[in-house]
Amino acid sequence: FEQSGGWIKALLEEAENERMHLMTMVELVQPKWYERVLVLTVQGVFFNAFFVLYLLSPKLAHRVVGYLEEEAIHSYTEYLKDIDSGKIENVPAPAIAIDYWRLPKDATLKDVITVIRADEAHHS
């Protein structure tokens, strides 16, 4: 119950940013119902495991988050390579991404992945 010096605001902004990553990807991928169930199941398992880890060692839990952010950067870099090579079509960016990141109206998937990767680099 001490003043956080604004830390909670930064964490809430980061959580909202991660939510927008998810909402953008859902818009792009349009997952089937069973894929959504799988994601919810994995989130449930991860949440509980992370909760226990944080109770045991907050420092280790923060390191795990940093590791996950680094893996996300690597994954988005590979995604960009696949777009550049033509393995993944560089489709127009969804409106949700254009609005959130204030991208140009003619933004593409590559633009969206680039800003998401930059967010992940900032978070790590």
Side-chain angles (χ1 to χ4, degrees), residues 88-102:
I88 297 174
E89 185 181 357
N90 194 17
V91 298
I96 190 171
I98 290 171
D99 292 342
Y100 181 74
W101 284 285
R102 296 182 181 106

Side-chain angles (χ1 to χ4, degrees), residues 5 8-9 11 14 23-24 38 41 43 50 55 68 81 83 85 94 99 102 109:
I8 191 68
K9 186 176 186 312
L11 293 175
E14 187 173 323
M23 298 302 293
T24 300
L38 178 62
T41 302
Q43 284 178 331
F50 189 78
L55 288 176
L68 292 175
K81 287 179 186 176
I83 292 171
S85 71
D99 292 342
R102 296 182 181 106
L109 175 61

Side-chain angles (χ1 to χ4, degrees), residues 66-115:
Y67 173 76
L68 292 175
E69 297 287 0
E70 290 294 326
E71 283 301 309
I73 294 166
H74 175 74
S75 296
Y76 287 124
T77 300
E78 292 300 314
Y79 201 126
L80 287 170
K81 287 179 186 176
D82 287 346
I83 292 171
D84 287 339
S85 71
K87 290 181 185 176
I88 297 174
E89 185 181 357
N90 194 17
V91 298
I96 190 171
I98 290 171
D99 292 342
Y100 181 74
W101 284 285
R102 296 182 181 106
L103 298 172
K105 296 294 181 201
D106 62 344
T108 63
L109 175 61
K110 183 175 181 177
D111 300 320
V112 172
I113 299 305
T114 300
V115 294

Side-chain angles (χ1 to χ4, degrees), residues 25-40:
M25 287 303 174
V26 166
E27 187 75 23
L28 285 167
V29 176
Q30 297 291 316
K32 310 276 188 285
W33 70 268
Y34 55 87
E35 293 169 323
R36 289 175 184 255
V37 168
L38 178 62
V39 168
L40 288 172

